[in-house]
Amino acid sequence: VQTCALPIYQLITQPRQEVDMEITVTDGDVMPYTYHLRDVFSETVGRISSCKQKGIMFRFRAIYDPIGRTPKTGMVTVDPKLIISVREEPKVAD
């Protein structure tokens, strides 16, 4: 039997539930840029943190919108130090 230890403060009510997320990146010189992706929120934040600690780039599949063009999907690599926010895309309240 394989078990998984979770930190006591981490409550998972729906494990591995994928959600629509936004990752906002900036380099300080230009307006922030937002990428859209669908993944497990806690796992994405954990991967970003791990990449930041190891000093490696963060790679993910995203939907992005080049200005004035049709949205595209593909692999994106960013410096995790330039990520200023990761959030679940807002939903309409009931």
Side-chain angles (χ1 to χ4, degrees):
V1 175
Q2 211 173 15
T3 60
C4 177
L6 294 173
I8 196 162
Y9 57 84
Q10 185 174 6
L11 175 63
I12 296 181
T13 55
Q14 296 177 324
R16 296 209 36 82
Q17 180 184 12
E18 290 187 348
V19 296
D20 293 324
M21 292 184 288
E22 297 176 345
I23 293 181
T24 304
V25 179
T26 186
D27 65 3
D29 294 334
V30 296
M31 292 293 292
Y33 192 82
T34 300
Y35 295 99
H36 303 270
L37 66 150
R38 182 162 185 83
D39 206 338
V40 179
F41 188 89
S42 62
E43 291 178 12
T44 299
V45 171
R47 285 195 328 264
I48 291 169
S49 178
S50 176
C51 288
K52 195 179 287 189
Q53 289 175 355
K54 293 176 184 176
I56 59 176
M57 300 294 275
F58 174 62
R59 186 171 61 126
F60 58 100
R61 178 166 298 283
I63 299 169
Y64 51 97
D65 182 14
I67 297 171
R69 298 193 190 134
T70 305
K72 301 191 183 293
T73 183
M75 292 303 291
V76 178
T77 302
V78 298
D79 183 340
K81 293 181 216 144
L82 302 178
I83 297 172
I84 58 173
S85 75
V86 178
R87 62 186 177 141
E88 186 175 344
E89 289 188 1
K91 294 180 177 56
V92 176
D94 292 336

